[in-house]
Amino acid sequence: MANAKIIEAKQQEVEAIAAKLKSSASTVVADYRGLNVAQVTELRKRLREAGIEFQVLKNSLVSRAAASVELSDLDAVLTGPTAVAFSSTDVVAAAKILNDFAKKNDALKLKGGVIEGRFIDAAQVKALADLPSREGLLSMLLSVLQAPIRNFALAVKAVAEKNEASA
């Protein structure tokens, strides 16, 4: 009887992980071995502030969940202690926060992840982390779109000033 309850609980946990893998914009897998409690608490705080869910999960459960959502490539990074960050909105945020934290704390190692249903390795996670945030990209786009209008306005103003000076 106890085994059936345990198996059912694990199946529910696998289903929950699979749902998070499927619904998240990005998922980053990291090895947290060697971090002390204060460091893990600080990391969790930063991730929580960005709206990212951070969990320490069993590799076997993550592997089963990944297989159920056709992400078997994730099995390659599921070795040793595994912490998983699920970001439901911002694709870059989890990678950026974990990468910045890993630069300051050598104990945290990025293993890989999933971006919009596609597996990426640790190098790709680091490359993703180096991208500007969504807000930064939007501000760059806005400045590119505003440049021609600004230049046109300056040209019109210069012509108007020239005409006023000659009149």
Side-chain angles (χ1 to χ4, degrees), residues 22-74:
K22 209 174 213 182
S23 67
S24 66
S26 70
T27 303
V28 179
V29 180
D31 182 348
Y32 64 94
R33 197 177 357 194
L35 292 177
N36 62 35
V37 173
Q39 291 169 324
V40 172
T41 303
E42 175 64 24
L43 177 60
R44 285 182 186 272
K45 180 182 175 214
R46 289 184 192 173
L47 290 166
R48 190 174 32 255
E49 287 171 354
I52 299 164
E53 186 176 345
F54 187 71
Q55 293 181 307
V56 173
L57 299 169
K58 287 187 171 188
N59 291 331
S60 59
L61 297 179
V62 176
S63 177
R64 288 175 191 252
S68 73
V69 293
E70 299 173 7
L71 289 170
S72 313
D73 297 338
L74 199 58

Side-chain angles (χ1 to χ4, degrees), residues 7-150:
I7 291 171
E8 184 179 330
K10 287 185 178 185
Q11 285 174 341
Q12 289 175 352
E13 194 170 348
V14 167
E15 289 169 8
I17 296 168
K20 288 177 188 174
L21 282 171
K22 209 174 213 182
S23 67
S24 66
S26 70
T27 303
V28 179
V29 180
D31 182 348
Y32 64 94
R33 197 177 357 194
L35 292 177
N36 62 35
V37 173
Q39 291 169 324
V40 172
T41 303
E42 175 64 24
L43 177 60
R44 285 182 186 272
K45 180 182 175 214
R46 289 184 192 173
L47 290 166
R48 190 174 32 255
E49 287 171 354
I52 299 164
E53 186 176 345
F54 187 71
Q55 293 181 307
V56 173
L57 299 169
K58 287 187 171 188
N59 291 331
S60 59
L61 297 179
V62 176
S63 177
R64 288 175 191 252
S68 73
V69 293
E70 299 173 7
L71 289 170
S72 313
D73 297 338
L74 199 58
D75 285 347
V77 298
L78 296 176
T79 57
T82 301
V84 184
F86 298 100
S87 177
S88 58
T89 55
D90 192 355
V91 176
V92 179
K96 186 176 283 302
I97 292 169
L98 287 169
N99 189 48
D100 290 346
F101 196 84
K103 286 178 183 176
K104 295 174 188 163
N105 300 285
D106 293 336
L108 183 70
K109 305 279 189 254
L110 300 177
K111 294 180 175 183
V114 178
I115 301 297
E116 296 179 344
R118 204 179 106 249
F119 174 77
I120 60 172
D121 61 14
Q124 291 171 317
V125 171
K126 290 177 183 174
L128 180 68
D130 292 336
L131 289 175
S133 68
R134 183 177 188 274
E135 290 76 22
L137 288 171
L138 288 173
S139 68
M140 286 182 210
L141 175 65
L142 185 60
S143 67
V144 167
L145 293 175
Q146 285 180 336
I149 297 168
R150 184 176 46 247

